[in-house]
Amino acid sequence: MSEVTPSGSGGPLGLAGPARDGGLVISGGVGGISFQLEELMGGAEKLDVLASELSAVEVEMHHIWEDMSPYQNDSRYSGTEAIISVGEARRSVQAVRTELQRISRQVRASKQDYESAEALANVVHGLGLRLTSWELLGQQVADLGLGPVPNREVAEIVAGNVPVTMGAFLAFSSPAHFVTALAADLAAGKHISVAAPLIRALARQSAPVLKPRPVSVDREESLPLELDASTAGLLERARAVDERGQGYIEVIEVDNGGQKAYVVVIPGTQTETEVGGTNPFDLAGIGEGLGYGSAEVNAAVLQALQAAGAEKGSPVVAVGYSQGGVHAMNLAADELFLDEYDVKYVLTAGSPVGGITPAAGISSMHLEHRQDWVPGSDGTPSPDTVDRVTVTLTDPARIPEGEEFGLGPGHRLSGYVEGARQVEASEDPSLVASTAILGGVLGAGGTATATRFSLNRQKPPDPQSTPLTVPNPKPQSPPRPPAG
């Protein structure tokens, strides 16, 4: 494994940029800028404590100097020089105390400047006012050079600019829909995703199939499983669930040293069905995830966990690929779901989750490929926080001979599984700490029980919400047998 090194010279505080480990670029976690800022603030607080203690010493030395004043007429060595020495010592203490306070003020001011700049960038980004040049965009497109799809950075720029043009379009018909939705996110102090208000506006105005509808849950089968609890092993479960059929999720019960924990596995977008039909993971499911916080899917997952025997307060790990990652991340932000279960960790791959803010203390890891435009389709990069690690895979991705192009070479689940294996082998501190948290919840894996549930979205209530029919990008295949 390559040596782990920082990739940047840093910002206003000299902080290192994202770390690099071979083909991985890592941001966030204990090696991220956010954590470095917290460490600097901890140092500033310690400087303040030392300055306070020196201030007390300074006051005491002044009292000693005053008490020695009657001796200034004694012999030079026992009187005047002693008084002068105490006075000089007090001034030296004062100088050290003043310098410590100056350094502490500078650290705090620099941190505030850095955070202000980040906040402004996020707001500008969230409003869709992406600050980029045509030259930069052209260079990013040229850098791809591997097929007719944009890379993640280009997707973020394009999606980040959508509200400017789409907002203007909506202003001719229903400006209140878009503006009100965006203002709600701003007022809530969310890490703004441009996709959410846009999707809600479209659902009200011209695409009612994007509106969520209730989802029913049916228990199908349970089977024993030798679980590989690594990040790669968990992503492999997403493949197994997708192969089971349309609209399935999996709940895995794990015994970690006598403590039961549960893994919820949610597949990616399933395009074989009509848009807005009964499969909650069709293309309309993306709209529910990005625009409505996966409200109905979250409720279905809650029912599935209860049906699988998960007691209230049980620890949960949520895993999702592509659209499934959006739903998985939304579980960590859903107050109703968190009232019932203790989400400890979220693992996503190829998912646009930058605008979803999980509850405090929930750890997450997001795998993205630079050639994959899907993670950038919400126009919002994942924020750098202590609990949140984003891993960008940079090794060139290609479509194996005989396989379909799909959404591009960077979006293949097998590529993300391979990237997860690199994560497990890395010695980067953010990755080591994050995978250790996952291991603490699930242990090493081993014998487990997987329960499959089929989810079905309620049919459209009126002709205006009739499902859309889109060309099927995949050849029809016979029903698949249950996958182990």
mmCIF file of all heavy atoms in Angstrom, residues 13-48:
data_model
loop_
_atom_site.group_PDB
_atom_site.id
_atom_site.type_symbol
_atom_site.label_atom_id
_atom_site.label_comp_id
_atom_site.label_asym_id
_atom_site.label_seq_id
_atom_site.Cartn_x
_atom_site.Cartn_y
_atom_site.Cartn_z
ATOM 1 N N LEU A 13 -4.887 28.356 7.892
ATOM 2 C CA LEU A 13 -4.213 27.880 9.104
ATOM 3 C C LEU A 13 -3.083 26.921 8.762
ATOM 4 O O LEU A 13 -2.508 26.296 9.639
ATOM 5 C CB LEU A 13 -5.221 27.175 10.018
ATOM 6 C CG LEU A 13 -6.402 28.020 10.493
ATOM 7 C CD1 LEU A 13 -7.312 27.176 11.360
ATOM 8 C CD2 LEU A 13 -5.929 29.232 11.257
ATOM 9 N N GLY A 14 -2.776 26.765 7.491
ATOM 10 C CA GLY A 14 -1.746 25.811 7.099
ATOM 11 C C GLY A 14 -2.228 24.378 7.204
ATOM 12 O O GLY A 14 -1.440 23.464 7.372
ATOM 13 N N LEU A 15 -3.567 24.174 7.114
ATOM 14 C CA LEU A 15 -4.112 22.835 7.242
ATOM 15 C C LEU A 15 -3.892 22.052 5.957
ATOM 16 O O LEU A 15 -3.995 22.585 4.854
ATOM 17 C CB LEU A 15 -5.619 22.913 7.530
ATOM 18 C CG LEU A 15 -6.006 23.681 8.802
ATOM 19 C CD1 LEU A 15 -7.512 23.798 8.884
ATOM 20 C CD2 LEU A 15 -5.461 22.990 10.032
ATOM 21 N N ALA A 16 -3.615 20.780 6.116
ATOM 22 C CA ALA A 16 -3.415 19.919 4.940
ATOM 23 C C ALA A 16 -4.739 19.682 4.240
ATOM 24 O O ALA A 16 -5.796 19.662 4.857
ATOM 25 C CB ALA A 16 -2.801 18.599 5.371
ATOM 26 N N GLY A 17 -4.689 19.523 2.917
ATOM 27 C CA GLY A 17 -5.880 19.200 2.154
ATOM 28 C C GLY A 17 -6.195 17.724 2.273
ATOM 29 O O GLY A 17 -5.663 17.029 3.148
ATOM 30 N N PRO A 18 -7.093 17.211 1.383
ATOM 31 C CA PRO A 18 -7.444 15.789 1.436
ATOM 32 C C PRO A 18 -6.211 14.903 1.357
ATOM 33 O O PRO A 18 -5.275 15.181 0.610
ATOM 34 C CB PRO A 18 -8.348 15.620 0.208
ATOM 35 C CG PRO A 18 -8.904 16.982 -0.041
ATOM 36 C CD PRO A 18 -7.811 17.932 0.328
ATOM 37 N N ALA A 19 -6.229 13.827 2.110
ATOM 38 C CA ALA A 19 -5.107 12.888 2.098
ATOM 39 C C ALA A 19 -5.209 11.982 0.879
ATOM 40 O O ALA A 19 -6.293 11.767 0.337
ATOM 41 C CB ALA A 19 -5.110 12.058 3.373
ATOM 42 N N ARG A 20 -4.075 11.447 0.465
ATOM 43 C CA ARG A 20 -4.042 10.513 -0.651
ATOM 44 C C ARG A 20 -3.375 9.216 -0.212
ATOM 45 O O ARG A 20 -2.371 9.235 0.495
ATOM 46 C CB ARG A 20 -3.269 11.109 -1.830
ATOM 47 C CG ARG A 20 -3.966 12.288 -2.494
ATOM 48 C CD ARG A 20 -3.175 12.810 -3.681
ATOM 49 N NE ARG A 20 -3.847 13.911 -4.336
ATOM 50 C CZ ARG A 20 -4.751 13.793 -5.307
ATOM 51 N NH1 ARG A 20 -5.064 12.567 -5.728
ATOM 52 N NH2 ARG A 20 -5.327 14.839 -5.852
ATOM 53 N N ASP A 21 -3.956 8.116 -0.641
ATOM 54 C CA ASP A 21 -3.372 6.807 -0.396
ATOM 55 C C ASP A 21 -3.548 5.989 -1.659
ATOM 56 O O ASP A 21 -4.616 5.419 -1.908
ATOM 57 C CB ASP A 21 -4.050 6.131 0.800
ATOM 58 C CG ASP A 21 -3.363 4.831 1.185
ATOM 59 O OD1 ASP A 21 -2.353 4.486 0.540
ATOM 60 O OD2 ASP A 21 -3.821 4.166 2.121
ATOM 61 N N GLY A 22 -2.511 5.957 -2.491
ATOM 62 C CA GLY A 22 -2.629 5.261 -3.761
ATOM 63 C C GLY A 22 -3.704 5.900 -4.619
ATOM 64 O O GLY A 22 -3.680 7.092 -4.907
ATOM 65 N N GLY A 23 -4.709 5.111 -5.003
ATOM 66 C CA GLY A 23 -5.801 5.612 -5.826
ATOM 67 C C GLY A 23 -6.950 6.181 -5.036
ATOM 68 O O GLY A 23 -8.026 6.439 -5.595
ATOM 69 N N LEU A 24 -6.770 6.391 -3.724
ATOM 70 C CA LEU A 24 -7.824 6.930 -2.869
ATOM 71 C C LEU A 24 -7.511 8.376 -2.485
ATOM 72 O O LEU A 24 -6.379 8.699 -2.144
ATOM 73 C CB LEU A 24 -7.974 6.098 -1.591
ATOM 74 C CG LEU A 24 -8.122 4.583 -1.732
ATOM 75 C CD1 LEU A 24 -8.214 3.937 -0.351
ATOM 76 C CD2 LEU A 24 -9.348 4.239 -2.573
ATOM 77 N N VAL A 25 -8.519 9.219 -2.540
ATOM 78 C CA VAL A 25 -8.423 10.574 -1.994
ATOM 79 C C VAL A 25 -9.436 10.654 -0.859
ATOM 80 O O VAL A 25 -10.631 10.403 -1.068
ATOM 81 C CB VAL A 25 -8.713 11.645 -3.062
ATOM 82 C CG1 VAL A 25 -8.688 13.035 -2.443
ATOM 83 C CG2 VAL A 25 -7.698 11.554 -4.196
ATOM 84 N N ILE A 26 -8.960 10.985 0.341
ATOM 85 C CA ILE A 26 -9.794 10.895 1.544
ATOM 86 C C ILE A 26 -9.992 12.271 2.149
ATOM 87 O O ILE A 26 -9.028 13.004 2.405
ATOM 88 C CB ILE A 26 -9.149 9.967 2.596
ATOM 89 C CG1 ILE A 26 -8.847 8.605 1.983
ATOM 90 C CG2 ILE A 26 -10.041 9.818 3.808
ATOM 91 C CD1 ILE A 26 -7.386 8.349 1.705
ATOM 92 N N SER A 27 -11.246 12.625 2.387
ATOM 93 C CA SER A 27 -11.546 13.870 3.093
ATOM 94 C C SER A 27 -12.478 13.565 4.257
ATOM 95 O O SER A 27 -13.235 12.601 4.230
ATOM 96 C CB SER A 27 -12.199 14.895 2.153
ATOM 97 O OG SER A 27 -13.448 14.427 1.694
ATOM 98 N N GLY A 28 -12.413 14.406 5.281
ATOM 99 C CA GLY A 28 -13.240 14.199 6.456
ATOM 100 C C GLY A 28 -12.612 13.236 7.439
ATOM 101 O O GLY A 28 -11.494 12.740 7.247
ATOM 102 N N GLY A 29 -13.330 12.950 8.524
ATOM 103 C CA GLY A 29 -12.836 12.049 9.552
ATOM 104 C C GLY A 29 -11.802 12.703 10.436
ATOM 105 O O GLY A 29 -11.636 13.931 10.452
ATOM 106 N N VAL A 30 -11.063 11.875 11.182
ATOM 107 C CA VAL A 30 -10.090 12.405 12.134
ATOM 108 C C VAL A 30 -8.904 13.048 11.450
ATOM 109 O O VAL A 30 -8.129 13.773 12.079
ATOM 110 C CB VAL A 30 -9.603 11.302 13.105
ATOM 111 C CG1 VAL A 30 -10.760 10.759 13.925
ATOM 112 C CG2 VAL A 30 -8.905 10.177 12.338
ATOM 113 N N GLY A 31 -8.731 12.811 10.141
ATOM 114 C CA GLY A 31 -7.666 13.470 9.400
ATOM 115 C C GLY A 31 -8.161 14.642 8.584
ATOM 116 O O GLY A 31 -7.388 15.271 7.874
ATOM 117 N N GLY A 32 -9.448 14.955 8.687
ATOM 118 C CA GLY A 32 -10.037 16.024 7.898
ATOM 119 C C GLY A 32 -9.814 17.398 8.494
ATOM 120 O O GLY A 32 -9.391 17.555 9.644
ATOM 121 N N ILE A 33 -10.103 18.413 7.699
ATOM 122 C CA ILE A 33 -9.894 19.798 8.125
ATOM 123 C C ILE A 33 -10.748 20.130 9.340
ATOM 124 O O ILE A 33 -10.310 20.829 10.253
ATOM 125 C CB ILE A 33 -10.193 20.753 6.962
ATOM 126 C CG1 ILE A 33 -9.129 20.594 5.872
ATOM 127 C CG2 ILE A 33 -10.248 22.204 7.428
ATOM 128 C CD1 ILE A 33 -9.395 21.382 4.620
ATOM 129 N N SER A 34 -11.979 19.635 9.363
ATOM 130 C CA SER A 34 -12.861 19.928 10.491
ATOM 131 C C SER A 34 -12.247 19.468 11.798
ATOM 132 O O SER A 34 -12.253 20.185 12.797
ATOM 133 C CB SER A 34 -14.225 19.248 10.278
ATOM 134 O OG SER A 34 -15.076 19.467 11.375
ATOM 135 N N PHE A 35 -11.685 18.246 11.786
ATOM 136 C CA PHE A 35 -11.065 17.738 13.009
ATOM 137 C C PHE A 35 -9.807 18.531 13.347
ATOM 138 O O PHE A 35 -9.525 18.795 14.513
ATOM 139 C CB PHE A 35 -10.731 16.256 12.850
ATOM 140 C CG PHE A 35 -10.199 15.618 14.103
ATOM 141 C CD1 PHE A 35 -11.048 15.309 15.145
ATOM 142 C CD2 PHE A 35 -8.847 15.346 14.257
ATOM 143 C CE1 PHE A 35 -10.578 14.725 16.311
ATOM 144 C CE2 PHE A 35 -8.356 14.767 15.420
ATOM 145 C CZ PHE A 35 -9.227 14.454 16.445
ATOM 146 N N GLN A 36 -9.053 18.923 12.309
ATOM 147 C CA GLN A 36 -7.864 19.727 12.564
ATOM 148 C C GLN A 36 -8.235 21.052 13.212
ATOM 149 O O GLN A 36 -7.541 21.541 14.103
ATOM 150 C CB GLN A 36 -7.120 19.961 11.245
ATOM 151 C CG GLN A 36 -6.513 18.696 10.647
ATOM 152 C CD GLN A 36 -5.823 18.976 9.328
ATOM 153 O OE1 GLN A 36 -4.882 19.743 9.267
ATOM 154 N NE2 GLN A 36 -6.305 18.350 8.252
ATOM 155 N N LEU A 37 -9.348 21.638 12.786
ATOM 156 C CA LEU A 37 -9.815 22.879 13.397
ATOM 157 C C LEU A 37 -10.180 22.651 14.870
ATOM 158 O O LEU A 37 -9.889 23.482 15.732
ATOM 159 C CB LEU A 37 -11.024 23.416 12.639
ATOM 160 C CG LEU A 37 -10.743 24.020 11.258
ATOM 161 C CD1 LEU A 37 -12.050 24.325 10.540
ATOM 162 C CD2 LEU A 37 -9.893 25.268 11.370
ATOM 163 N N GLU A 38 -10.824 21.526 15.153
ATOM 164 C CA GLU A 38 -11.169 21.213 16.536
ATOM 165 C C GLU A 38 -9.909 21.044 17.386
ATOM 166 O O GLU A 38 -9.859 21.479 18.547
ATOM 167 C CB GLU A 38 -12.015 19.950 16.594
ATOM 168 C CG GLU A 38 -13.415 20.127 16.033
ATOM 169 C CD GLU A 38 -14.255 18.884 16.204
ATOM 170 O OE1 GLU A 38 -13.793 17.943 16.884
ATOM 171 O OE2 GLU A 38 -15.378 18.858 15.674
ATOM 172 N N GLU A 39 -8.890 20.400 16.812
ATOM 173 C CA GLU A 39 -7.637 20.234 17.537
ATOM 174 C C GLU A 39 -6.982 21.588 17.822
ATOM 175 O O GLU A 39 -6.459 21.823 18.918
ATOM 176 C CB GLU A 39 -6.681 19.361 16.718
ATOM 177 C CG GLU A 39 -7.108 17.913 16.610
ATOM 178 C CD GLU A 39 -6.862 17.177 17.909
ATOM 179 O OE1 GLU A 39 -5.732 16.734 18.149
ATOM 180 O OE2 GLU A 39 -7.821 17.057 18.695
ATOM 181 N N LEU A 40 -7.033 22.481 16.830
ATOM 182 C CA LEU A 40 -6.469 23.818 17.039
ATOM 183 C C LEU A 40 -7.233 24.561 18.126
ATOM 184 O O LEU A 40 -6.636 25.250 18.965
ATOM 185 C CB LEU A 40 -6.512 24.616 15.732
ATOM 186 C CG LEU A 40 -5.466 24.242 14.685
ATOM 187 C CD1 LEU A 40 -5.745 24.978 13.385
ATOM 188 C CD2 LEU A 40 -4.064 24.581 15.183
ATOM 189 N N MET A 41 -8.556 24.425 18.137
ATOM 190 C CA MET A 41 -9.337 25.092 19.178
ATOM 191 C C MET A 41 -9.027 24.516 20.547
ATOM 192 O O MET A 41 -8.987 25.232 21.544
ATOM 193 C CB MET A 41 -10.826 24.954 18.877
ATOM 194 C CG MET A 41 -11.304 25.889 17.767
ATOM 195 S SD MET A 41 -10.878 27.627 18.105
ATOM 196 C CE MET A 41 -11.843 27.905 19.573
ATOM 197 N N GLY A 42 -8.773 23.201 20.581
ATOM 198 C CA GLY A 42 -8.367 22.602 21.857
ATOM 199 C C GLY A 42 -7.056 23.181 22.330
ATOM 200 O O GLY A 42 -6.873 23.458 23.521
ATOM 201 N N GLY A 43 -6.117 23.408 21.396
ATOM 202 C CA GLY A 43 -4.845 24.030 21.760
ATOM 203 C C GLY A 43 -5.034 25.452 22.231
ATOM 204 O O GLY A 43 -4.386 25.899 23.199
ATOM 205 N N ALA A 44 -5.939 26.197 21.570
ATOM 206 C CA ALA A 44 -6.201 27.583 21.986
ATOM 207 C C ALA A 44 -6.777 27.629 23.399
ATOM 208 O O ALA A 44 -6.426 28.510 24.198
ATOM 209 C CB ALA A 44 -7.156 28.249 21.000
ATOM 210 N N GLU A 45 -7.649 26.686 23.706
ATOM 211 C CA GLU A 45 -8.226 26.646 25.054
ATOM 212 C C GLU A 45 -7.151 26.350 26.107
ATOM 213 O O GLU A 45 -7.174 26.915 27.209
ATOM 214 C CB GLU A 45 -9.339 25.597 25.093
ATOM 215 C CG GLU A 45 -10.565 26.005 24.294
ATOM 216 C CD GLU A 45 -11.554 24.878 24.138
ATOM 217 O OE1 GLU A 45 -11.264 23.760 24.647
ATOM 218 O OE2 GLU A 45 -12.606 25.094 23.515
ATOM 219 N N LYS A 46 -6.211 25.476 25.770
ATOM 220 C CA LYS A 46 -5.123 25.193 26.709
ATOM 221 C C LYS A 46 -4.227 26.416 26.902
ATOM 222 O O LYS A 46 -3.743 26.683 28.008
ATOM 223 C CB LYS A 46 -4.306 24.005 26.208
ATOM 224 C CG LYS A 46 -5.064 22.678 26.257
ATOM 225 C CD LYS A 46 -4.232 21.529 25.712
ATOM 226 C CE LYS A 46 -5.013 20.222 25.766
ATOM 227 N NZ LYS A 46 -4.244 19.085 25.200
ATOM 228 N N LEU A 47 -4.011 27.165 25.822
ATOM 229 C CA LEU A 47 -3.243 28.407 25.944
ATOM 230 C C LEU A 47 -3.946 29.394 26.867
ATOM 231 O O LEU A 47 -3.308 30.087 27.669
ATOM 232 C CB LEU A 47 -3.037 29.041 24.563
ATOM 233 C CG LEU A 47 -2.077 28.337 23.609
ATOM 234 C CD1 LEU A 47 -2.087 29.033 22.257
ATOM 235 C CD2 LEU A 47 -0.661 28.311 24.171
ATOM 236 N N ASP A 48 -5.274 29.444 26.764
ATOM 237 C CA ASP A 48 -6.038 30.336 27.638
ATOM 238 C C ASP A 48 -5.890 29.933 29.104
ATOM 239 O O ASP A 48 -5.783 30.794 29.990
ATOM 240 C CB ASP A 48 -7.516 30.321 27.248
ATOM 241 C CG ASP A 48 -7.769 31.026 25.932
ATOM 242 O OD1 ASP A 48 -6.893 31.806 25.507
ATOM 243 O OD2 ASP A 48 -8.835 30.793 25.334
#
